[in-house]
Amino acid sequence: MFSLKKLLFKAGSPEHLPDDVRSAIEAWRSSPAPELDDAHFHVRYLVIDIVSTGLNPDSDELLGIAATAVSQGGMVQPEDAFYLDFASLDGDSAVTMETTAGHRLDRQLMAFLQFAAKAPLVTYHVPYVGGFLQRLYKERLGVNFEPQWVDLAWLLPVMFEEKSHTLLPLDQWLELFGLEAGGVRRDAMANTLMLARLFQMLLVRVTDKDITTAARLIDESRASSFLRRTH
């Protein structure tokens, strides 16, 4: 069996991409980003998580991407979701080899860009999630993947100091909010839904603190990360 894992971080070039993928990339690049000055509940946020073999984007393997939207009044939208399991893209024989498998991978990566539609992305530990995605998109599609990020890892202790003012593992935050018992293993989509529930609570809190737009929330996330990393 041909393993698609060999292709995940193998450098490609636009010249070797299928025509439909190259056209889709150009259309995506020229598409406008959504307005971020509207109130949170008018913005489509995308909560995202990944699965990997380790924590180092430079050496470990990415295994999957899961995402779900939070929009329409801060509601989680289960029907507006995306899941990509790289193992499911493996070919069944060596006949297809790299070209067909690689094109299948590139089309799925492009499908995620189209699904995301340049929405602000919400996750837990941006350097981890963003690091894997930046490397993969640069090497496979030649795309600089630099979305607007909201990092729950840094925002939660700033906005919920009464629960904890220090950086915590995700499972501890879930326990503090009574969302789930610690130590329970979740798949990527279940983990994303847990992050989405935390994000819903965060939206209520930041609105109370007069952080009323996506643009201001993104700025607050950057500031929280910078201040805590440098002090």
Side-chain angles (χ1 to χ4, degrees):
M1 179 180 289
F2 177 74
S3 176
L4 199 65
K5 291 180 182 178
K6 297 177 181 178
L7 288 175
L8 286 180
F9 290 117
K10 182 174 181 178
S13 65
E15 293 77 14
H16 293 94
L17 292 172
D19 290 341
D20 59 314
V21 175
R22 280 188 286 161
S23 297
I25 289 173
E26 291 309 310
W28 174 82
R29 282 178 170 146
S30 62
S31 64
E35 290 291 333
L36 299 181
D37 290 328
D38 288 335
H40 296 300
F41 302 128
H42 295 159
V43 175
R44 176 180 179 260
Y45 290 94
L46 205 63
V47 182
I48 181 172
D49 193 30
I50 62 172
V51 182
S52 64
T53 59
L55 301 178
N56 190 337
D58 294 326
S59 58
D60 293 315
E61 294 179 348
L62 186 63
L63 302 177
I65 302 171
T68 190
V70 174
S71 57
Q72 297 182 3
M75 299 295 292
V76 177
Q77 305 293 326
E79 72 281 1
D80 190 3
F82 183 96
Y83 181 64
L84 174 56
D85 178 3
F86 292 119
S88 69
L89 301 178
D90 275 351
D92 292 328
S93 70
V95 175
T96 58
M97 295 304 289
E98 288 193 15
T99 300
T100 301
H103 288 177
R104 190 160 54 239
L105 169 62
D106 295 333
R107 289 189 175 102
Q108 287 298 313
L109 292 176
M110 189 63 237
F112 176 72
L113 287 184
Q114 293 171 322
F115 169 76
K118 298 183 178 178
L121 300 190
V122 180
T123 195
Y124 202 87
H125 283 311
V126 167
Y128 163 65
V129 176
F132 276 96
L133 294 177
Q134 281 180 333
R135 180 185 170 201
L136 181 59
Y137 274 96
K138 184 65 175 178
E139 295 190 6
R140 288 301 313 174
L141 302 188
V143 167
N144 290 322
F145 187 75
E146 296 179 342
Q148 302 279 16
W149 285 106
V150 174
D151 196 334
L152 295 176
W154 301 102
L155 278 173
L156 288 172
V158 171
M159 296 298 159
F160 294 96
E161 288 185 297
E162 74 278 11
K163 292 186 178 293
S164 175
H165 56 81
T166 61
L167 198 66
L168 295 176
L170 173 59
D171 283 349
Q172 289 190 34
W173 280 110
L174 294 176
E175 286 191 55
L176 287 171
F177 281 100
L179 294 179
E180 182 176 288
V184 176
R185 294 186 63 84
R186 299 173 298 275
D187 61 29
M189 185 54 72
N191 209 49
T192 300
L193 292 173
M194 289 292 101
L195 289 175
R197 293 180 68 184
L198 283 176
F199 183 58
Q200 286 178 306
M201 296 178 185
L202 181 77
L203 285 180
V204 174
R205 178 60 62 94
V206 298
T207 301
D208 289 343
K209 292 180 177 290
D210 202 33
I211 301 172
T212 55
T213 68
R216 294 187 66 179
L217 181 59
I218 290 164
D219 288 343
E220 183 68 27
S221 178
R222 290 172 179 160
S224 299
S225 174
F226 175 79
L227 288 174
R228 287 179 174 263
R229 287 177 184 276
T230 55
H231 291 80

